[in-house]
Amino acid sequence: MHLLRAPLLSFPHFAFLSVAGFFACGLTAAAQAMPSAPPAKWVGTWATSPFGGDPWHTIPTLVDSTLREIVHTSIPGKALRVRFTNEFGTEPLRIDAASVALSAGESAIQPDSLHALTFDGQASIVIPPGTQAISDPVAMATPAFTNLAISFFLPLQQVSDVSVHSGANQINYILAGSNAVSAASLTGANPVASWYFVKGVDVEPVSPHAAAVVAFGDSITDGAYATDNQNHRWPDYLATRLHNNPATADLAVLNEGIGGNCVLITCIAPNAQARFDRDVLAQAGVRYMIVLESINDIGGLNEPNRPNYHLTAQDLEQGLSQLVARAHEHGIKVFGATLTPYKGAGYFSEQGEQIREAVNQWILTSGVFDGTIDFDKATRDAANPLVFATAYDSGDHLHPKDAGYDAMANSIDLSLFH
């Protein structure tokens, strides 16, 4: 039996060209007076946003295979648990065995760190369609900024719809034909650039003050064009800055960016408002959110496949404000980030630029957010502010390269998190 592949949909061209800012939040007297949250039992140390299908790559055969996926922690823990996902599946997903270990590079693990994962004491679990599963806690000391190898075996079964995060900027491994979740390395495994069926790692934090920052957005948050396997997305650089600053050293950063995502319309994956509960509110220990998104909505104005598409700055402002209001209901502070330059990108238009500038001005001056971050100022060319500075441009005039992501993280005032 083989994996049945869901047909790849024909996505609007602009969805593949962009990834950018998501900014929504509302500052009210009630929000300012929010009580301090009690110490969290669990805090996310790594996370990603799954969605259905895989529009960026061909889906490999996943059943009768061991998957070993590499993830990068942000804060340390005394124990951990792993979140698996079948949220976009239409059939039950069976995992017959799973493990976690410290990575030793590529598909290898440090054997003395290997721990089996169980679910209510059982080695296997069936995850119903549309939901997720959390492993039992593992008494495993987990350092900050270390790579974990999460391995799991999928027996032969019908899998028509895959819950996946593609464009991971991280090489993972699939070994067909055997259960190798305890193997020291997966000799002969095929490399893949996506995270399949894994969505998060939570830790029992070392510090009682630990909490998480969710970075919510599109491909610019997801890290498009960052160097593979180096953790050079702007949320990664932010996690390092927070760790090195004593006042913020206990804050994790969870990257919930999706390449090609939109705030108001369906581009790649459910839009930001539709996925907000799953990708922000459901994360463990969240105290802050940074929103950088809207550029793909704006790019749709120059997409010939959307002849009847209309958008105003007020539409985006309302959508972002709704996210802020929903975050505040859960005691989460929201920081709005300005949209980075995009002149020269495939879907640039003068009308879109006017909306981008209006939304950026609103983010900085409206008072809706609990704080603001000016990514536009941090990345633009001083002599020509409609474009990226040459040192930061990946080459497509829409996404930064590593140096641009570093500049974005360095522009964030860490006192926002105190």
Side-chain angles (χ1 to χ4, degrees):
M1 184 181 296
H2 300 283
L3 170 73
L4 293 184
R5 301 178 183 174
L8 296 184
L9 301 179
S10 178
F11 291 91
H13 181 61
F14 78 88
F16 291 89
L17 291 173
S18 64
V19 178
F22 198 34
F23 332 93
C25 311
L27 180 58
T28 66
Q32 289 174 314
M34 289 185 294
S36 298
K41 167 66 174 177
W42 294 100
V43 176
T45 189
W46 173 85
T48 193
S49 300
F51 50 94
D54 192 342
W56 303 93
H57 308 287
T58 300
I59 298 174
T61 298
L62 299 170
V63 296
D64 191 26
S65 297
T66 297
L67 286 73
R68 179 163 288 174
E69 305 191 3
I70 312 302
V71 306
H72 192 66
T73 64
S74 56
I75 59 168
K78 298 176 287 185
L80 64 77
R81 63 185 189 181
V82 178
R83 294 174 179 260
F84 294 91
T85 177
N86 190 29
E87 288 159 294
F88 293 89
T90 51
E91 296 116 357
L93 177 71
R94 182 177 180 88
I95 297 175
D96 266 2
S99 69
V100 62
L102 298 177
S103 172
E106 297 185 340
S107 73
I109 61 169
Q110 300 178 34
D112 59 353
S113 70
L114 180 68
H115 289 76
L117 292 174
T118 58
F119 308 87
D120 297 315
Q122 304 299 311
S124 64
I125 190 170
V126 176
I127 308 175
T131 190
Q132 63 171 302
I134 302 176
S135 76
D136 297 332
V138 174
M140 174 180 175
T142 306
F145 305 109
T146 194
N147 282 346
L148 297 176
I150 300 168
S151 305
F152 53 103
F153 177 68
L154 301 180
L156 286 171
Q157 60 192 292
Q158 184 79 17
V159 180
S160 301
D161 296 280
V162 177
S163 299
V164 58
H165 185 97
S166 55
N169 298 108
Q170 173 64 55
I171 302 303
N172 304 293
Y173 302 91
I174 300 177
L175 180 66
S178 64
N179 177 352
V181 300
S182 300
S185 64
L186 301 187
T187 304
N190 293 318
V192 293
S194 299
W195 288 301
Y196 293 96
F197 306 117
V198 173
K199 71 171 297 181
V201 177
D202 303 333
V203 293
E204 184 180 353
V206 174
S207 168
H209 306 294
V213 180
V214 170
F216 192 52
D218 49 32
S219 56
I220 293 176
T221 295
D222 201 17
Y225 294 94
T227 303
D228 282 352
N229 304 324
Q230 296 302 308
N231 302 299
H232 283 175
R233 314 162 191 87
W234 73 256
D236 298 316
Y237 287 117
L238 173 60
T240 300
R241 288 193 65 215
L242 291 170
H243 176 78
N244 292 335
N245 178 46
T248 58
D250 300 323
L251 291 178
V253 179
L254 307 179
N255 190 330
E256 297 292 333
I258 295 178
N261 198 233
C262 290
V263 175
L264 302 175
I265 60 175
T266 300
C267 303
I268 298 294
N271 65 57
Q273 296 191 70
R275 68 186 183 93
F276 182 77
D277 288 13
R278 179 176 58 247
D279 290 345
V280 178
L281 300 184
Q283 302 305 314
V286 179
R287 187 178 300 162
Y288 305 101
M289 178 176 78
I290 299 171
V291 183
L292 172 64
E293 193 160 3
S294 290
I295 201 67
N296 292 323
D297 298 78
I298 292 171
L301 292 167
N302 200 29
E303 172 51 52
N305 291 333
R306 293 183 182 269
N308 299 317
Y309 177 59
H310 301 284
L311 180 74
T312 67
Q314 290 73 27
D315 294 333
L316 290 170
E317 291 160 12
Q318 184 179 64
L320 295 172
S321 294
Q322 285 293 309
L323 296 177
V324 176
R326 290 162 66 184
H328 281 172
E329 284 189 318
H330 294 265
I332 299 170
K333 290 188 175 182
V334 187
F335 307 133
T338 55
L339 301 170
T340 51
Y342 86 123
K343 186 172 184 179
Y347 60 20
F348 176 84
S349 69
E350 294 297 337
Q351 180 188 4
E353 176 59 26
Q354 291 174 11
I355 293 175
R356 185 187 76 92
E357 293 179 18
V359 170
N360 281 353
Q361 182 67 13
W362 172 81
I363 288 168
L364 294 173
T365 64
S366 67
V368 166
F369 299 92
D370 298 291
T372 61
I373 298 165
D374 199 347
F375 283 157
D376 177 38
K377 181 178 179 181
T379 57
R380 68 195 181 202
D381 187 322
N384 184 5
L386 300 189
V387 302
F388 272 111
T390 302
Y392 300 152
D393 192 347
S394 68
D396 72 351
H397 314 301
L398 178 66
H399 302 96
K401 56 185 177 184
D402 291 8
Y405 288 127
D406 191 20
M408 290 170 68
N410 282 324
S411 74
I412 299 172
D413 180 359
L414 298 189
S415 68
L416 290 170
F417 304 99
H418 291 178

